Amino acid sequence: MSLQRGGWIQDSWVPSWVRHEHQARYRFAAAFLQGKTVVDCACGGGLGSQVFAQAGARAVVGFDRCAAAVAAAQRRCTFPLVQFGVADARRLPLPNHMVDVYIALETIEHLSPETAFVAEVVRVLTPDGLLICSTPNRSITNPGTASTHRPWNRFHLREYTSRELLGLLTTAFHEVQCYGQNRQSHARMRLMERLVPLMPNG
């Protein structure tokens, strides 16, 4: 599998830790999908969509703005209940309030304005729908930097601290829960806070 801007789109080698992190996110999301209508936003090559279908979702619709990724997803994932399309996360070709679970893994950091993305999630979700969203924690990936600082990852427009992400999501959702994926020591965080500002910004 190859990680490109549009997602996983072809079979080739990637670092195992990248693959494992993605797979862990898929497994986490899959626990909430039994009998649900699901959007897989920024679906890339469809690996997550396939996991979500196998987890018992009633239907999965995967969207990505990269046409090559969508074409790869259509070739890879042939479950009848899974469909794919090319679309911008801020303007999905879906009716209002038709989705039970909206999955956006490692997506929001690529979008501007992020408020348009959140508004679109609210539009397509049912009133009791669920958003599952993951994004890099700036306190881990770019410690000691401000929200206006361009992330070290040149494909990211912005990265959030957990407090910033909670602040954004609580403008639209009554209940928000925040989880972490990788535990980091305080010593490592202090070291990174000193080193990151010295690194060239991509």
Side-chain angles (χ1 to χ4, degrees), residues 11-112:
D11 292 325
S12 60
W13 182 86
V14 294
S16 60
W17 66 268
V18 174
R19 183 173 67 254
H20 293 160
E21 283 193 346
H22 279 71
Q23 290 170 343
R25 295 178 195 121
Y26 299 154
R27 289 194 298 270
F28 176 85
F32 299 89
L33 306 183
Q34 182 69 43
K36 304 294 186 181
T37 299
V38 178
V39 158
D40 181 13
C41 183
C43 64
L47 293 180
S49 300
Q50 183 169 302
V51 171
F52 305 150
Q54 292 170 330
R58 182 170 69 236
V60 180
V61 185
F63 291 107
D64 201 287
R65 64 185 180 187
C66 174
V70 169
Q74 291 169 331
R75 291 192 300 270
R76 172 180 285 117
C77 186
T78 58
F79 288 88
L81 54 81
V82 182
Q83 298 179 342
F84 296 99
V86 178
D88 188 304
R90 295 159 296 188
R91 293 185 302 279
L92 297 183
L94 295 174
N96 295 345
H97 310 309
M98 69 156 288
V99 175
D100 299 309
V101 183
Y102 191 114
I103 300 172
L105 305 180
E106 309 302 285
T107 301
I108 192 171
E109 65 272 13
H110 298 274
L111 300 175
S112 180

